Amino acid sequence: ANDVGMAVLSLDVQKDGWAQVELKALFDKELVAEWGYSQDEIVDGIKSDAEEAGFKVAPYSEGEMIGARATKQLSLVEMQDLRQIFEPDYPSEQAGPLLAIERGFFYTRYRLATDFDLGEAEGPLGPGQLRLTLPGKVTQHNANEEEGKALVWHLAWGPNRIEAEARAVNLAAMALVISIIVGALGGTFFAISRLSKPFALATLPTGAKFCPQCGNSLAPGDTFCSQCGTKL
């Protein structure tokens, strides 16, 4: 931000490489009044060009600043340059996608490395800020500062080097491995507990008698075995 206002470009990147893009152009409310403009006139001033680039534009206020907020979604893996956010046909010299995604079994790595060239033109808001949020945990970057999960670059006219890397856990893979481990441990514990359990000894009624020939159980007072006929 400066005495006139601020311009902020925000990229909230999702795991599939798509990003929610937000561009805010805000001016000091008192200065806008001194210039004789209204907020609607500010919005109308950028609306046609922004909508041509695929943005949805609406009035926006923040504190003592008023202006416009433009949003759209796009895939960073299908782009080569940040300038293509505003100029889809901008000829980039960068080889490969703007956002590189390396998918592993346990982790997915995200890497954005590019030169964001704002040219030599100057405007009342200055070159502004770039705010980038990547999935997972940031492992490396050259941003000017961090605000929560967002990396913030204070841009300058001309080329700006932007580098950031992050690593996100693949929760589905982790859950699968944990379930396999838990199942294996549970089966092992059950088998060990069965082996270590003592067998219960059969108990016989007090005074029980059996046939000496076939082992048949005898009732009190029997003189013959009902099973084999042996005389007792």
Side-chain angles (χ1 to χ4, degrees):
N2 56 30
D3 293 338
V4 176
M6 65 178 183
V8 180
L9 173 64
S10 300
L11 304 176
D12 185 4
V13 182
Q14 307 303 307
K15 289 186 175 181
D16 58 1
W18 281 78
Q20 177 67 38
V21 181
E22 177 189 72
L23 175 62
K24 294 188 294 186
L26 297 172
F27 298 85
D28 182 89
K29 187 183 299 184
E30 293 183 358
L31 285 177
V32 172
E34 290 180 10
W35 296 338
Y37 287 98
S38 67
Q39 185 172 15
D40 288 340
E41 288 175 317
I42 294 175
V43 173
D44 291 339
I46 67 171
K47 192 170 185 178
S48 59
D49 289 340
E51 289 183 344
E52 187 175 338
F55 284 94
K56 294 181 179 179
V57 184
Y60 182 79
S61 300
E62 190 173 299
E64 295 300 315
M65 294 186 177
I66 60 174
R69 175 176 178 264
T71 59
K72 72 174 179 178
Q73 288 186 325
L74 49 77
S75 175
L76 299 189
V77 298
E78 297 177 1
M79 300 169 52
Q80 289 78 41
D81 198 290
L82 286 172
R83 283 283 294 271
Q84 293 171 349
I85 294 175
F86 313 101
E87 304 172 62
D89 297 327
Y90 181 79
S92 174
E93 297 180 357
Q94 178 168 308
L98 177 61
L99 178 70
I101 302 178
E102 298 177 8
R103 302 188 185 278
F105 184 75
F106 290 110
Y107 298 98
T108 298
R109 289 177 171 81
Y110 300 85
R111 184 173 187 271
L112 189 150
T114 188
D115 289 317
F116 189 18
D117 192 347
L118 297 181
E120 300 301 327
E122 297 187 6
L125 296 182
Q129 291 183 354
L130 170 66
R131 301 174 64 90
L132 174 67
T133 304
L134 291 172
K137 181 179 180 181
V138 174
T139 56
Q140 183 178 341
H141 69 85
N142 69 339
N144 297 107
E145 57 182 306
E146 296 183 51
E147 291 185 8
K149 292 185 176 181
L151 301 174
V152 182
W153 286 264
H154 301 295
L155 303 175
W157 297 116
N160 297 267
R161 185 62 183 172
I162 308 297
E163 295 182 0
E165 295 184 18
R167 185 179 70 173
V169 176
N170 295 334
L171 296 179
M174 287 292 190
L176 175 62
V177 172
I178 291 173
S179 65
I180 292 174
I181 293 174
V182 170
L185 290 176
T188 302
F189 177 79
F190 178 75
I192 293 174
S193 65
R194 288 292 301 272
L195 291 174
S196 61
K197 185 176 181 180
F199 292 101
L201 297 176
T203 57
L204 299 175
T206 303
K209 295 182 179 181
F210 301 90
C211 173
Q213 183 67 27
C214 67
N216 181 45
S217 177
L218 302 174
D222 283 350
T223 57
F224 290 91
C225 175
S226 61
Q227 184 73 25
C228 65
T230 301
K231 184 177 180 180
L232 304 175

